[in-house]
Amino acid sequence: MYKAKFQSFEDRAERAASLPRVGALRTELARRGLTGWVVPRADRHQNEYVPDSDERLAWLTGFTGSAGAAVVLMERAALFADGRYTLQVLDQVDTSIFEIVHMVESPPDQWIERNLTSSDRLGYDPWLHTSDGAEKLAKACIAAGATLVAVDPSPLDAVWIDRPSPPLGAVTLHDTRFAGEEAVTKLAQIRPEIAKLRADALVISDPHAVAWTFNIRGSDVAHTPLPMSFAIVPQEGRAALYVDGRKLLNEVRHSLEAIADIREPDDLARDLAGLGREKKTVRLDQATAADALARMITSNGGKITRGADPIAIMKAVKNQVEIEGSRAAHRRDGAAVTRFLAWVDAQAPRGSLTEIAAVEALEGFRHETGQLKDVSFPTISGAGPDGAIVHYRVTRKSDRRIEKGQLFLIDSGAQYEDGTTDITRTVAVGEPSDEMRDRFTRVLKGHIAIACAVFPEGTSGAQLDPLARVSLWQAGLDFDHGTGHGVGSYLSVHEGPPRISKLGSTKLERGMILSNEPGYYKTGAYGIRIENLVLVIEGPAIAGAEKPLNAFETLTLAPIDRHLIAAGLLTPEETAWLDQYHARVAATLTPLLDAETRAWLAAATRPLGHN
């Protein structure tokens, strides 16, 4: 049986270790003539998930959240985290050492400006910050009269004596029956984009982009099949792929050598310096390229241009093979999720089911497909008030029973070779209150509004985002997260640049896959979210339309809890959408289910007006 892993915060070992570790860091800083150090939660690629060898923030502070930073000065230190981690940070971090600062309300650069003096020398690792990030730190230091110093090798790494070794996950070839295009074809498509940017070469610093370009996958980080690697694609000549050779079986190496030079990661600095000496103009990805890369090029006479990696949009627009793969993955995943929902419906009313038991059961159902590679992110399993914590992560300590009268929210996803999934369902345990039904139905109305949207080409996610909120706004309610994020093809479940949010400036193009996940959260009581993945497709033909139109196809297949719907709040058109969706769910999944689950699904997908 597939078993999920859960962190226990009852063990205070990391928290207790912070004092000597911070002391050792300060001693090393003094030895190097520095008075402070910035510790981001980052690796050399700005990945969402980082290997254990890059968990510097967790090692130093005890904080294991997915976003955060620390600044350690000689007399004080601060830990920065956002509102998702308010409770977690207090549980994990020794507040006698670290001041806890809200990362959004008071970012590290603002804190630095307020707390440095003119004699301070603040150090940072240029491999762990983008150039934009380093410039913010530099401006803050200048404002305080202090100096920002790039330091390599890192003093923190020098005192982390038991640091894990970097990962050596094997690199595998992502077959064209899943990728849809040969790597050589993708390289041919990338080169004209480099020319448009008036650059001589593109540095691919995002391992997701490397994986997509060369049709490879890996296992260096959790939940996303990434090979930690870099690449350089010149406008003319052979590409170079920088990856630890120990990760490459002979078959994989031979296949890659047909399209690129295979080099060791240590060769990257030499080759970037060479581009600089040749006075080349090199494109760097503004979002993921380490400041160290820019410094290697410019210090040797080269020129850099910073901006979006052109591969990002190419990767976001799925080809027909990837689209069909996603549809297949969602059928498979939908059957597993439906089995789980039927199981919860039977188990939860007994009062013995817990959040962790639910996670283990769901991941077990997915494992039984025989095709699960990994979950696509740590499952969010929130009963009652835990569901109101948007990015809640259940632990052995926080594990709550799922009881009658509660709402249970479960947000989960899977990695299959043919597609990545992400689905949230909220279910009632026992009889929900009228308020719960009202809020759930308003969230459902927003979900349907996105699912049914027809919009002209060139529309951005920001323009669609209000559709998901109008029904909530009418009751004086809202939700703080975005409505949707991009999703990769057997890559990251959180894939930019497309998104449906107030800040979603990217134009939505046919072939993009995004989530549709409005929600509502009542602190201390319950949370509601309904999430399906949607594919941007050609819209309907409308007489007199002045622009080509796009629409969404819903990919996710699993029932939405009818017990939570206040039918009178839905319009006839919304009711028709729900009934049609449920009919499609039933028709598609019934052949994939056992008899008991088929019977449950038939009841769960009845037309709304039927008891």
Side-chain angles (χ1 to χ4, degrees), residues 59-94:
W59 177 82
L60 185 68
T61 70
F63 175 60
T64 60
S66 62
V71 179
V72 177
L73 305 181
M74 287 304 177
E75 301 297 331
R76 65 186 308 183
L79 186 285
F80 301 83
D82 63 39
R84 294 174 293 173
Y85 302 109
T86 301
L87 299 178
Q88 180 178 329
V89 72
L90 293 175
D91 193 46
Q92 293 183 299
V93 177
D94 188 338

Short mmCIF file of all heavy atoms in Angstrom, two decimals, residues 59-94:
data_model
loop_
_atom_site.label_atom_id
_atom_site.label_comp_id
_atom_site.label_asym_id
_atom_site.label_seq_id
_atom_site.Cartn_x
_atom_site.Cartn_y
_atom_site.Cartn_z
N TRP A 59 17.15 24.11 8.11
CA TRP A 59 18.27 23.69 8.96
C TRP A 59 18.61 24.76 10.00
O TRP A 59 18.83 24.45 11.18
CB TRP A 59 19.50 23.39 8.10
CG TRP A 59 20.70 23.03 8.92
CD1 TRP A 59 20.99 21.80 9.45
CD2 TRP A 59 21.76 23.91 9.32
NE1 TRP A 59 22.17 21.87 10.17
CE2 TRP A 59 22.66 23.14 10.11
CE3 TRP A 59 22.03 25.26 9.10
CZ2 TRP A 59 23.82 23.69 10.66
CZ3 TRP A 59 23.19 25.81 9.65
CH2 TRP A 59 24.07 25.05 10.41
N LEU A 60 18.61 26.01 9.59
CA LEU A 60 19.03 27.09 10.49
C LEU A 60 17.94 27.48 11.47
O LEU A 60 18.22 27.72 12.65
CB LEU A 60 19.42 28.32 9.67
CG LEU A 60 19.99 29.50 10.47
CD1 LEU A 60 21.36 29.13 11.05
CD2 LEU A 60 20.10 30.74 9.59
N THR A 61 16.68 27.52 11.01
CA THR A 61 15.61 28.09 11.83
C THR A 61 14.61 27.06 12.34
O THR A 61 13.86 27.36 13.28
CB THR A 61 14.83 29.14 11.03
OG1 THR A 61 14.07 28.51 9.99
CG2 THR A 61 15.78 30.16 10.41
N GLY A 62 14.52 25.89 11.69
CA GLY A 62 13.49 24.93 12.01
C GLY A 62 12.23 25.08 11.19
O GLY A 62 11.36 24.21 11.19
N PHE A 63 12.09 26.19 10.46
CA PHE A 63 10.88 26.46 9.69
C PHE A 63 10.91 25.70 8.38
O PHE A 63 11.85 25.84 7.58
CB PHE A 63 10.76 27.96 9.42
CG PHE A 63 9.61 28.35 8.52
CD1 PHE A 63 8.31 28.07 8.88
CD2 PHE A 63 9.84 28.99 7.31
CE1 PHE A 63 7.25 28.40 8.07
CE2 PHE A 63 8.79 29.35 6.49
CZ PHE A 63 7.49 29.04 6.87
N THR A 64 9.85 24.93 8.12
CA THR A 64 9.83 24.06 6.94
C THR A 64 8.80 24.48 5.90
O THR A 64 8.49 23.70 5.00
CB THR A 64 9.53 22.60 7.36
OG1 THR A 64 8.24 22.55 8.00
CG2 THR A 64 10.59 22.06 8.31
N GLY A 65 8.27 25.69 5.99
CA GLY A 65 7.31 26.16 5.00
C GLY A 65 7.94 26.26 3.63
O GLY A 65 9.17 26.31 3.47
N SER A 66 7.10 26.32 2.61
CA SER A 66 7.59 26.32 1.22
C SER A 66 8.04 27.69 0.75
O SER A 66 8.57 27.82 -0.36
CB SER A 66 6.49 25.79 0.28
OG SER A 66 5.36 26.65 0.32
N ALA A 67 7.82 28.72 1.53
CA ALA A 67 8.27 30.06 1.18
C ALA A 67 8.67 30.79 2.45
O ALA A 67 7.96 30.72 3.46
CB ALA A 67 7.17 30.83 0.45
N GLY A 68 9.79 31.48 2.38
CA GLY A 68 10.25 32.21 3.55
C GLY A 68 11.69 32.64 3.38
O GLY A 68 12.33 32.36 2.36
N ALA A 69 12.21 33.33 4.38
CA ALA A 69 13.59 33.81 4.35
C ALA A 69 13.97 34.19 5.77
O ALA A 69 13.12 34.37 6.65
CB ALA A 69 13.76 35.00 3.42
N ALA A 70 15.26 34.31 5.99
CA ALA A 70 15.76 34.80 7.27
C ALA A 70 16.91 35.76 7.02
O ALA A 70 17.61 35.66 6.00
CB ALA A 70 16.24 33.63 8.15
N VAL A 71 17.08 36.70 7.93
CA VAL A 71 18.24 37.58 7.93
C VAL A 71 18.86 37.48 9.32
O VAL A 71 18.18 37.68 10.33
CB VAL A 71 17.87 39.04 7.63
CG1 VAL A 71 19.11 39.92 7.67
CG2 VAL A 71 17.19 39.16 6.27
N VAL A 72 20.13 37.12 9.35
CA VAL A 72 20.85 36.96 10.61
C VAL A 72 21.89 38.06 10.72
O VAL A 72 22.81 38.14 9.89
CB VAL A 72 21.52 35.58 10.70
CG1 VAL A 72 22.32 35.45 11.99
CG2 VAL A 72 20.47 34.47 10.61
N LEU A 73 21.73 38.93 11.70
CA LEU A 73 22.73 39.94 12.03
C LEU A 73 23.45 39.50 13.30
O LEU A 73 23.10 38.50 13.92
CB LEU A 73 22.07 41.30 12.21
CG LEU A 73 21.21 41.80 11.04
CD1 LEU A 73 20.63 43.18 11.36
CD2 LEU A 73 22.01 41.84 9.74
N MET A 74 24.44 40.25 13.73
CA MET A 74 25.23 39.84 14.89
C MET A 74 24.44 39.91 16.20
O MET A 74 24.68 39.11 17.11
CB MET A 74 26.49 40.70 14.99
CG MET A 74 27.52 40.36 13.93
SD MET A 74 27.97 38.60 14.00
CE MET A 74 29.09 38.47 12.62
N GLU A 75 23.49 40.81 16.29
CA GLU A 75 22.76 40.98 17.54
C GLU A 75 21.28 40.62 17.44
O GLU A 75 20.59 40.56 18.46
CB GLU A 75 22.90 42.43 18.03
CG GLU A 75 24.33 42.86 18.27
CD GLU A 75 25.01 42.04 19.37
OE1 GLU A 75 24.29 41.57 20.28
OE2 GLU A 75 26.24 41.86 19.30
N ARG A 76 20.79 40.43 16.25
CA ARG A 76 19.39 40.09 16.09
C ARG A 76 19.18 39.31 14.79
O ARG A 76 20.06 39.30 13.91
CB ARG A 76 18.51 41.34 16.12
CG ARG A 76 18.75 42.29 14.96
CD ARG A 76 17.95 43.58 15.15
NE ARG A 76 16.52 43.31 15.42
CZ ARG A 76 15.62 44.28 15.56
NH1 ARG A 76 15.97 45.54 15.47
NH2 ARG A 76 14.35 43.96 15.78
N ALA A 77 18.03 38.68 14.70
CA ALA A 77 17.71 37.90 13.49
C ALA A 77 16.21 37.92 13.28
O ALA A 77 15.43 38.09 14.23
CB ALA A 77 18.21 36.46 13.63
N ALA A 78 15.79 37.75 12.03
CA ALA A 78 14.37 37.76 11.69
C ALA A 78 14.06 36.61 10.76
O ALA A 78 14.87 36.27 9.88
CB ALA A 78 13.99 39.09 11.04
N LEU A 79 12.89 36.02 10.96
CA LEU A 79 12.36 34.98 10.08
C LEU A 79 11.13 35.54 9.39
O LEU A 79 10.21 36.03 10.05
CB LEU A 79 12.00 33.73 10.89
CG LEU A 79 11.55 32.43 10.18
CD1 LEU A 79 10.13 32.50 9.67
CD2 LEU A 79 12.50 32.05 9.08
N PHE A 80 11.10 35.48 8.07
CA PHE A 80 10.02 36.05 7.26
C PHE A 80 9.17 34.92 6.68
O PHE A 80 9.69 34.01 6.03
CB PHE A 80 10.58 36.91 6.13
CG PHE A 80 11.44 38.04 6.60
CD1 PHE A 80 12.79 37.84 6.92
CD2 PHE A 80 10.91 39.32 6.75
CE1 PHE A 80 13.58 38.89 7.36
CE2 PHE A 80 11.70 40.37 7.20
CZ PHE A 80 13.03 40.15 7.50
N ALA A 81 7.85 35.01 6.92
CA ALA A 81 6.92 34.03 6.35
C ALA A 81 5.60 34.74 6.09
O ALA A 81 5.32 35.79 6.68
CB ALA A 81 6.72 32.85 7.29
N ASP A 82 4.79 34.17 5.20
CA ASP A 82 3.51 34.82 4.91
C ASP A 82 2.40 34.24 5.80
O ASP A 82 2.63 33.37 6.64
CB ASP A 82 3.16 34.73 3.43
CG ASP A 82 2.99 33.29 2.94
OD1 ASP A 82 2.42 32.48 3.68
OD2 ASP A 82 3.39 32.99 1.80
N GLY A 83 1.20 34.74 5.60
CA GLY A 83 0.08 34.41 6.46
C GLY A 83 -0.32 32.96 6.47
O GLY A 83 -1.02 32.50 7.38
N ARG A 84 0.10 32.18 5.46
CA ARG A 84 -0.23 30.76 5.44
C ARG A 84 0.38 30.01 6.61
O ARG A 84 -0.08 28.94 7.01
CB ARG A 84 0.26 30.11 4.13
CG ARG A 84 -0.40 30.59 2.88
CD ARG A 84 0.27 30.00 1.66
NE ARG A 84 1.62 30.48 1.48
CZ ARG A 84 2.46 30.02 0.56
NH1 ARG A 84 2.08 29.04 -0.25
NH2 ARG A 84 3.67 30.53 0.44
N TYR A 85 1.48 30.56 7.13
CA TYR A 85 2.29 29.81 8.09
C TYR A 85 2.29 30.44 9.49
O TYR A 85 3.20 30.19 10.27
CB TYR A 85 3.73 29.72 7.56
CG TYR A 85 3.83 29.06 6.22
CD1 TYR A 85 4.15 29.80 5.08
CD2 TYR A 85 3.57 27.71 6.08
CE1 TYR A 85 4.23 29.19 3.84
CE2 TYR A 85 3.65 27.09 4.84
CZ TYR A 85 3.99 27.84 3.72
OH TYR A 85 4.06 27.22 2.50
N THR A 86 1.27 31.23 9.80
CA THR A 86 1.22 31.93 11.08
C THR A 86 1.38 30.98 12.26
O THR A 86 2.16 31.24 13.19
CB THR A 86 -0.10 32.71 11.21
OG1 THR A 86 -0.19 33.63 10.11
CG2 THR A 86 -0.16 33.46 12.51
N LEU A 87 0.63 29.88 12.25
CA LEU A 87 0.70 28.93 13.36
C LEU A 87 1.95 28.06 13.27
O LEU A 87 2.62 27.80 14.27
CB LEU A 87 -0.55 28.05 13.37
CG LEU A 87 -1.89 28.80 13.56
CD1 LEU A 87 -3.05 27.81 13.50
CD2 LEU A 87 -1.89 29.56 14.88
N GLN A 88 2.26 27.63 12.07
CA GLN A 88 3.40 26.73 11.90
C GLN A 88 4.70 27.37 12.33
O GLN A 88 5.53 26.74 12.99
CB GLN A 88 3.49 26.28 10.44
CG GLN A 88 4.65 25.34 10.14
CD GLN A 88 4.67 24.89 8.70
OE1 GLN A 88 3.64 24.78 8.06
NE2 GLN A 88 5.86 24.64 8.17
N VAL A 89 4.90 28.62 11.97
CA VAL A 89 6.17 29.28 12.28
C VAL A 89 6.36 29.42 13.78
O VAL A 89 7.47 29.28 14.31
CB VAL A 89 6.26 30.65 11.55
CG1 VAL A 89 5.35 31.68 12.17
CG2 VAL A 89 7.70 31.16 11.54
N LEU A 90 5.28 29.66 14.51
CA LEU A 90 5.39 29.78 15.97
C LEU A 90 5.69 28.43 16.60
O LEU A 90 6.34 28.35 17.65
CB LEU A 90 4.09 30.36 16.54
CG LEU A 90 3.79 31.81 16.15
CD1 LEU A 90 2.43 32.23 16.67
CD2 LEU A 90 4.88 32.74 16.69
N ASP A 91 5.23 27.37 15.98
CA ASP A 91 5.47 26.03 16.49
C ASP A 91 6.90 25.56 16.23
O ASP A 91 7.47 24.81 17.02
CB ASP A 91 4.47 25.06 15.85
CG ASP A 91 4.43 23.72 16.56
OD1 ASP A 91 4.37 23.72 17.80
OD2 ASP A 91 4.45 22.68 15.88
N GLN A 92 7.47 26.03 15.13
CA GLN A 92 8.76 25.48 14.71
C GLN A 92 9.96 26.36 15.04
O GLN A 92 11.08 25.85 15.11
CB GLN A 92 8.74 25.26 13.18
CG GLN A 92 7.79 24.17 12.73
CD GLN A 92 7.88 23.98 11.23
OE1 GLN A 92 7.60 24.88 10.45
NE2 GLN A 92 8.26 22.78 10.81
N VAL A 93 9.76 27.65 15.20
CA VAL A 93 10.88 28.58 15.29
C VAL A 93 11.04 29.11 16.71
O VAL A 93 10.05 29.45 17.38
CB VAL A 93 10.68 29.75 14.30
CG1 VAL A 93 11.80 30.78 14.42
CG2 VAL A 93 10.60 29.22 12.87
N ASP A 94 12.27 29.18 17.18
CA ASP A 94 12.58 29.72 18.51
C ASP A 94 12.50 31.25 18.44
O ASP A 94 13.37 31.90 17.86
CB ASP A 94 13.98 29.28 18.93
CG ASP A 94 14.30 29.63 20.38
OD1 ASP A 94 13.65 30.56 20.91
OD2 ASP A 94 15.20 29.01 20.95
#
